[in-house]
Amino acid sequence: MIAVGVTLPTGLGQLALLAGALVGALAAFGYGLTELRTAYRMHTTAGHTVADVANYPGPVEIEGVVSATTEALAAPFTGTDCVVYEYTIEELRRDKDGDRTWKTIDSGEKRVPFRVEDDTGSVLVEPAGATLRLEHERVVRSPVDETPPAAIGDFLSTLELGGFGIDLGRDRRYIERRIDVGEPVYVFGPARHDPTASTAAGEVNAVIGHTQERGVRERLADRLLGRTLFVLADGSETAALSRTLKGALIAGLLGVFVLVVTGVVLT
C-alpha cells in the first residue's frame, strides 16, 4: 500500500501562505464593504422623477422604461433589441481529475446611449463607466453534435479568438444579460444640465452619466473613496438592491472561508 501524505508549509512557507490569505480575505471584505456602502446609498437616496433631473445636479435615482436614442443593439445570441448587453461563452471541459466543468473562453459587453421615460418625460443616459447589475439572463446550450443557431454563428464570426471556430468538439453554452428596449430600468448616477440633450417635447435638458468614459482604475477609485456612484440595472430598485447585497454577502463569506481554511492548514 502506498501512503499519500500532505506536506504542510513550515517557516517561510507558513508566513507566505498567511500573508496571501490575509491579502485575499481583506480584498474580499473590502469589496463586500463597498457593496454594502453602494446598497446603503441606493436605499437612502430619495427617488426622483425625470422632470426633477433637469433641476437637480448631482446623484439621482430614476426608475422608468428604456427607449433607444439611435439604432438599438442586437443582443449577440438572441438578436433582442437592447441598449446594454454582457455576454459569456463557456465550454464544457474535463479537469485533471476527470470532473467536467464549464470554462469561460470569451466574454464582453457593449453599450449605447439611451433615454429613460416616466410619466413626466424622458432623460438621456450615457452608460459608459456605469456599474452593471444585470439579471435578465438568457442561456443557449449548443451540444457538441449540433450547429449553433444562426444568430450565434453570425456573432462568432465577428470574434477574434485565435482559431476559435464553431465546431471544436465540445459542448458550449452562450449567456447574455441585457437592458432591453421597452423594459423597466433602474438608474442611480450623476446628473448634469445639458441643453443639447433635448431635441423634442418631453425631453429634459439633462444627462445622467459621467462626463467622460471611465476605466477600471477610475471606477475602482470611485468605489474605494466613496465618490459618485453610477449603477444601471434591469428591473426595479428592489431588484438592484437585492443583487448588490447578494454580492456583499458572497464577498464576506468568501473572506471568512479563506481565513478558516488557512487556519486549518496551518494548525
Side-chain angles (χ1 to χ4, degrees), residues 31-93:
Y31 177 81
L33 288 175
T34 60
E35 288 294 273
L36 283 176
R37 181 169 55 191
T38 297
Y40 175 78
R41 292 187 61 184
M42 291 163 60
H43 178 67
T44 57
T45 299
H48 301 87
T49 66
V50 167
D52 293 333
V53 177
N55 301 309
Y56 194 88
V60 296
E61 183 181 60
I62 300 291
E63 291 186 74
V65 175
V66 174
S67 64
T69 59
T70 57
E71 186 175 353
L73 297 171
F77 307 138
T78 63
T80 306
D81 286 345
C82 60
V83 293
V84 173
Y85 69 71
E86 296 177 319
Y87 75 87
T88 304
I89 303 174
E90 298 178 336
E91 281 187 348
L92 189 60
R93 298 183 178 179

Side-chain angles (χ1 to χ4, degrees), residues 25-191:
L26 287 175
F29 287 135
Y31 177 81
L33 288 175
T34 60
E35 288 294 273
L36 283 176
R37 181 169 55 191
T38 297
Y40 175 78
R41 292 187 61 184
M42 291 163 60
H43 178 67
T44 57
T45 299
H48 301 87
T49 66
V50 167
D52 293 333
V53 177
N55 301 309
Y56 194 88
V60 296
E61 183 181 60
I62 300 291
E63 291 186 74
V65 175
V66 174
S67 64
T69 59
T70 57
E71 186 175 353
L73 297 171
F77 307 138
T78 63
T80 306
D81 286 345
C82 60
V83 293
V84 173
Y85 69 71
E86 296 177 319
Y87 75 87
T88 304
I89 303 174
E90 298 178 336
E91 281 187 348
L92 189 60
R93 298 183 178 179
R94 292 186 182 275
D95 61 21
K96 62 182 180 180
D97 297 322
D99 297 325
R100 299 199 304 171
T101 59
W102 288 102
K103 178 178 177 59
T104 297
I105 60 173
D106 192 57
S107 62
E109 64 172 49
K110 196 169 184 178
R111 317 175 185 196
V112 294
F114 62 93
R115 303 194 75 87
V116 176
E117 300 178 349
D118 66 9
D119 294 337
T120 67
S122 74
V123 63
L124 180 64
V125 177
E126 296 179 344
T131 299
L132 302 179
R133 294 284 186 270
L134 306 184
E135 185 71 18
H136 188 67
E137 180 175 281
R138 289 291 181 269
V139 180
V140 180
R141 179 80 177 268
S142 178
V144 63
D145 56 350
E146 294 183 10
T147 300
I152 293 177
D154 292 342
F155 181 74
L156 292 179
S157 68
T158 68
L159 299 180
E160 298 179 0
L161 297 178
F164 175 74
I166 293 178
D167 296 315
L168 286 182
R170 292 191 178 99
D171 285 356
R172 200 171 297 115
R173 62 185 181 188
Y174 306 88
I175 304 167
E176 65 181 26
R177 301 175 183 86
R178 314 180 305 261
I179 297 178
D180 293 346
V181 175
E183 295 298 320
V185 66
Y186 169 83
V187 182
F188 181 99

